[in-house]
Amino acid sequence: MAKDASFDIVSELNKEEVKNGIQIALKELKNRFDFKGSSFEIKLDANQLVIKAEDDYKLEQVKDVLFSKLIKRGVPLKNIQFSSSEHALGGNARQSAELVNGIDKDSAKKITTAIKNSKIKVKAQIQDDQLRITGKSRDDLQKVISLVKELELPIDVQFSNFR
């Protein structure tokens, strides 16, 4: 009897690439003409990203530059979830974002129900913040991958540990 094939569905954010993207964005913003003499800041603390600027317009400009640098470094923007902007004294604007690592329970349930409803002969197990998909046929696993790619999920998922 052949051994079952399997793979994991994960959602990971490479923090080193996020740090590199922040450094490159800060370097570009310091050299931009429209940011001369203005104050702005991008900080990364644990799983929290904080952006500060003089007003909402500059805050959005900082986010645009940061997003372009993160996209070039392969960081999924879906895994960066921003809260609403806050206004501090002096008209400064601040916005924080959570860096999401792992698949939350709702997304995991959505994926497993979609797999069960598709009638593909595989088994899906939720393991903490990832999913393990097991099946006898590699073709079935490929069908599951294409099914998961078509789902509308609030986070970006990757496929790893093919066995």
Side-chain angles (χ1 to χ4, degrees):
M1 186 172 143
K3 189 176 180 184
D4 288 350
S6 69
F7 69 91
D8 295 334
I9 301 175
V10 297
S11 179
E12 296 175 342
L13 197 67
N14 188 344
K15 274 195 158 176
E16 291 304 316
E17 291 298 334
V18 173
K19 289 178 186 176
N20 291 340
I22 289 171
Q23 288 176 351
I24 293 169
L26 286 172
K27 188 183 277 188
E28 180 179 319
L29 288 168
K30 286 177 185 173
N31 292 329
R32 278 183 50 165
F33 179 75
D34 55 341
F35 277 90
K36 294 282 186 210
S38 64
S39 64
F40 58 89
E41 181 181 10
I42 305 173
K43 276 195 321 190
L44 180 65
D45 296 326
N47 283 339
Q48 197 75 8
L49 179 70
V50 179
I51 299 174
K52 297 178 185 175
E54 289 181 348
D55 54 28
D56 284 332
Y57 178 74
K58 293 226 181 197
L59 185 75
E60 290 301 318
Q61 294 295 314
V62 171
K63 281 174 43 179
D64 285 344
V65 171
L66 177 63
F67 286 171
S68 70
K69 302 309 173 195
L70 292 177
I71 288 171
K72 286 181 183 176
R73 303 205 69 79
V75 176
L77 296 182
K78 275 186 169 181
N79 290 19
I80 302 174
Q81 298 176 347
F82 279 94
S83 63
S84 60
S85 64
E86 306 163 358
H87 296 283
L89 292 174
N92 289 341
R94 177 178 65 201
Q95 193 168 20
S96 60
E98 183 182 350
L99 303 179
V100 179
N101 265 327
I103 300 174
D104 59 299
K105 297 272 187 226
D106 294 334
S107 297
K109 286 180 184 178
K110 184 176 181 179
I111 294 170
T112 54
T113 55
I115 291 171
K116 287 178 184 175
N117 293 340
S118 70
K119 306 281 194 234
I120 301 172
K121 295 180 182 180
V122 295
K123 185 170 66 171
Q125 296 175 323
I126 300 174
Q127 298 177 340
D128 294 329
D129 58 355
Q130 68 181 19
L131 273 83
R132 164 92 25 104
I133 310 297
T134 310
K136 294 189 185 304
S137 168
R138 288 191 179 268
D139 291 337
D140 289 343
L141 296 180
Q142 291 294 329
K143 290 176 188 174
V144 170
I145 290 173
S146 63
L147 174 76
V148 171
K149 285 182 179 178
E150 292 174 4
L151 291 176
E152 300 266 338
L153 297 172
I155 55 173
D156 189 54
V157 294
Q158 298 92 27
F159 308 99
S160 65
N161 296 336
F162 292 94
R163 293 184 199 107

